[in-house]
């Protein structure tokens, strides 16, 4: 297992949001965190990168407990979160956004990310603020790759995007998966999730209410209705 969470608890102020999250991700695996709004999915990702410090439990990354380390130390080990609101630099060009994220030891150079995201190569001289929403999302993922992650976490990567762009980003995530990347995906679009994932977890009120392989999830008609309110 490249990443393992054991009984993680987390708070916002006095609100006990994460109430014992346990999950694991194998090398090269794509897992999703599903669940209703407010269930604690984003907070789980934040607890992994140290933005929300867990008050209890372990975050084992390659066997070391990183819970309690500051976010920059966890990032330096290779755990990278692409947040929901993208956070690219609008006044810098596409290429500047990419090169400023680059790390010397990274296996990912500009040409590697341009191979996955050819649109970014076409737009490399454009400012980040001139990109469409879909292109900004691609840039956010590409920039994360430049930091040489070992675990990539994507928070709602296709939210609000047109179906044709969603398909493009799904294909790009598949290419990233094919390189052996371990990925945690938080996403409301179930079709996207089932196209990409090996396994799914459902988060409910800060706990894992369900886990199963993609095949088990697809075959279980009740599960979506019970936990997600869809079918
Ligand atoms: P969503 O899809 O709505 O983002 P989520 O499962 O990712 O759902 P979280 O964002 O993890 O949910 O939020 C879990 C709970 O924590 C919610 O009740 C939310 O209102 C609360 N919460 C989130 N961020 C903060 C914050 N910065 N301060 C206080 N409470 C917060």
């Amino acid at each position: 297992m490249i990443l393992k969470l054991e009984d993680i608890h987390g708070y916002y102020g006095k609100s006990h949001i994460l109430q014992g999250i346990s999950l694991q991700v194998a090398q090269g695996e794509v897992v999703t965190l599903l669940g209703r709004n407010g269930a604690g999915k984003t907070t789980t990702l934040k607890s992994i990168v140290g933005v929300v410090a867990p008050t209890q439990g372990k975050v084992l990354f390659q066997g070391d407990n990183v819970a309690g380390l500051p976010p920059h130390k966890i990032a330096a080990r290779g755990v990278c979160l692409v947040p929901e609101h993208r956070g690219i630099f609008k006044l810098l060009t596409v290429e500047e956004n990419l090169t400023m994220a680059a790390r010397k030891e990274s296996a990912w150079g500009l040409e590697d990310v341009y191979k996955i995201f050819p649109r970014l190569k076409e737009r490399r001289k454009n400012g980040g603020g001139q990109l469409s929403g879909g292109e900004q999302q691609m840039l956010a993922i590409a920039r994360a790759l430049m930091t040489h992650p070992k675990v990539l976490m994507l928070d709602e990567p296709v939210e609000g995007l047109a179906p044709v762009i969603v398909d493009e980003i799904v294909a790009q995530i598949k290419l990233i998966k094919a390189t052996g990347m371990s990925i945690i995906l938080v996403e409301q679009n179930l079709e996207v999730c089932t196209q990409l994932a090996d396994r799914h977890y459902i988060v409910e009120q800060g706990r894992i209410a369900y886990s199963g392989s993609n095949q088990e999830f697809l075959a279980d008609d009740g599960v979506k209705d019970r936990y997600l309110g869809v079918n």
Side-chain angles (χ1 to χ4, degrees):
M1 290 299 151
I2 189 160
L3 184 73
K4 194 167 179 193
L5 271 60
E6 289 180 2
D7 193 30
I8 287 296
H9 289 251
Y11 288 77
Y12 283 120
K14 288 191 173 147
S15 307
H16 191 179
I17 305 294
L18 302 183
Q19 305 197 14
I21 295 275
S22 297
L23 59 84
Q24 52 192 36
V25 184
Q27 175 67 52
E29 196 180 28
V30 178
V31 306
T32 67
L33 302 184
L34 306 172
R36 296 173 200 267
N37 287 341
K41 304 175 299 290
T42 299
T43 310
T44 300
L45 300 185
K46 288 182 177 170
S47 77
I48 296 170
V49 292
V51 173
V52 171
T55 55
Q56 189 184 314
K58 289 182 180 166
V59 177
L60 296 164
F61 176 64
Q62 296 186 308
D64 294 338
N65 186 13
V66 299
L69 290 183
H72 70 273
K73 293 222 160 130
I74 297 176
R77 288 177 182 234
V79 184
C80 187
L81 170 61
V82 180
E84 199 178 339
H85 296 296
R86 295 170 199 151
I88 62 167
F89 296 100
K90 297 202 162 156
L91 297 177
L92 299 183
T93 66
V94 165
E95 195 145 302
E96 285 164 347
N97 266 278
L98 292 170
T99 49
M100 75 177 294
R103 293 233 315 255
K104 263 206 300 275
E105 70 277 25
S106 182
W108 294 86
L110 276 177
E111 287 308 319
D112 302 302
V113 298
Y114 285 151
K115 227 177 263 168
I116 291 181
F117 302 100
R119 268 169 186 263
L120 295 181
K121 186 166 190 178
E122 287 164 23
R123 305 281 255 140
R124 65 188 183 281
K125 302 255 186 292
N126 287 106
Q130 295 172 300
L131 301 181
S132 69
E135 289 165 344
Q136 289 190 19
Q137 182 61 59
M138 291 172 200
L139 179 55
I141 299 172
R143 202 177 58 175
L145 292 176
M146 297 290 286
T147 71
H148 191 46
K150 293 175 182 150
V151 173
L152 184 64
M153 301 195 285
L154 305 173
D155 196 354
E156 306 214 9
V158 300
E159 206 218 343
L161 301 178
V164 53
I165 304 295
V166 171
D167 291 345
E168 206 174 312
I169 291 180
V170 167
Q172 290 158 345
I173 297 173
K174 282 184 183 164
L175 291 175
I176 296 168
K177 177 183 182 180
T179 69
M181 186 73 72
S182 311
I183 299 174
I184 304 181
L185 176 66
V186 169
E187 182 48 61
Q188 305 281 348
N189 183 328
L190 274 189
E191 208 183 305
V192 166
C193 290
T194 53
Q195 280 185 65
L196 289 169
D198 300 300
R199 283 190 304 117
H200 304 281
Y201 289 98
I202 296 178
V203 182
E204 198 177 47
Q205 294 179 347
R207 293 192 187 89
I208 300 294
Y210 168 92
S211 76
S213 69
N214 196 36
Q215 290 81 346
E216 287 164 345
F217 180 78
L218 286 168
D220 189 339
D221 287 337
V223 71
K224 299 175 200 76
D225 199 31
R226 242 179 298 139
Y227 296 114
L228 306 172
V230 292
N231 49 31

mmCIF file of all heavy atoms in Angstrom, residues 26 28 61 75 121 139 180-181 206:
data_model
loop_
_atom_site.group_PDB
_atom_site.id
_atom_site.type_symbol
_atom_site.label_atom_id
_atom_site.label_comp_id
_atom_site.label_asym_id
_atom_site.label_seq_id
_atom_site.Cartn_x
_atom_site.Cartn_y
_atom_site.Cartn_z
ATOM 1 N N ALA A 26 -3.458 1.223 -3.140
ATOM 2 C CA ALA A 26 -2.290 0.452 -3.571
ATOM 3 C C ALA A 26 -1.545 1.231 -4.656
ATOM 4 O O ALA A 26 -2.118 2.112 -5.315
ATOM 5 C CB ALA A 26 -2.730 -0.906 -4.114
ATOM 6 N N GLY A 28 -0.414 2.400 -7.956
ATOM 7 C CA GLY A 28 -1.003 2.326 -9.296
ATOM 8 C C GLY A 28 -2.522 2.198 -9.314
ATOM 9 O O GLY A 28 -3.114 2.054 -10.382
ATOM 10 N N PHE A 61 2.135 7.003 4.698
ATOM 11 C CA PHE A 61 2.537 7.164 3.308
ATOM 12 C C PHE A 61 3.842 6.405 3.129
ATOM 13 O O PHE A 61 4.834 6.689 3.798
ATOM 14 C CB PHE A 61 2.701 8.645 2.959
ATOM 15 C CG PHE A 61 3.210 8.865 1.557
ATOM 16 C CD1 PHE A 61 2.449 8.472 0.469
ATOM 17 C CD2 PHE A 61 4.449 9.430 1.330
ATOM 18 C CE1 PHE A 61 2.916 8.645 -0.825
ATOM 19 C CE2 PHE A 61 4.926 9.609 0.029
ATOM 20 C CZ PHE A 61 4.155 9.218 -1.045
ATOM 21 N N ALA A 75 3.855 17.403 1.027
ATOM 22 C CA ALA A 75 3.923 17.612 -0.432
ATOM 23 C C ALA A 75 5.285 17.179 -0.966
ATOM 24 O O ALA A 75 5.377 16.550 -2.018
ATOM 25 C CB ALA A 75 3.659 19.078 -0.757
ATOM 26 N N LYS A 121 -0.044 22.596 -24.838
ATOM 27 C CA LYS A 121 1.100 22.952 -25.676
ATOM 28 C C LYS A 121 0.687 24.039 -26.667
ATOM 29 O O LYS A 121 1.396 25.033 -26.842
ATOM 30 C CB LYS A 121 1.630 21.723 -26.419
ATOM 31 C CG LYS A 121 2.890 22.021 -27.191
ATOM 32 C CD LYS A 121 3.604 20.786 -27.658
ATOM 33 C CE LYS A 121 4.966 21.157 -28.211
ATOM 34 N NZ LYS A 121 5.720 19.998 -28.644
ATOM 35 N N LEU A 139 -4.579 22.382 -16.846
ATOM 36 C CA LEU A 139 -3.343 23.013 -16.379
ATOM 37 C C LEU A 139 -3.087 22.694 -14.903
ATOM 38 O O LEU A 139 -1.949 22.428 -14.505
ATOM 39 C CB LEU A 139 -3.410 24.534 -16.607
ATOM 40 C CG LEU A 139 -2.192 25.339 -16.155
ATOM 41 C CD1 LEU A 139 -0.895 24.830 -16.787
ATOM 42 C CD2 LEU A 139 -2.380 26.837 -16.487
ATOM 43 N N GLY A 180 1.181 4.351 -14.051
ATOM 44 C CA GLY A 180 1.384 3.701 -12.754
ATOM 45 C C GLY A 180 1.097 4.605 -11.571
ATOM 46 O O GLY A 180 1.357 4.235 -10.417
ATOM 47 N N MET A 181 0.528 5.784 -11.854
ATOM 48 C CA MET A 181 0.222 6.735 -10.776
ATOM 49 C C MET A 181 -0.892 6.201 -9.869
ATOM 50 O O MET A 181 -1.862 5.609 -10.343
ATOM 51 C CB MET A 181 -0.234 8.052 -11.403
ATOM 52 C CG MET A 181 -0.455 9.175 -10.413
ATOM 53 S SD MET A 181 1.086 9.820 -9.762
ATOM 54 C CE MET A 181 1.680 10.683 -11.212
ATOM 55 N N GLY A 206 -18.554 11.548 7.831
ATOM 56 C CA GLY A 206 -17.178 11.452 8.314
ATOM 57 C C GLY A 206 -16.677 10.054 8.583
ATOM 58 O O GLY A 206 -15.646 9.878 9.244
#
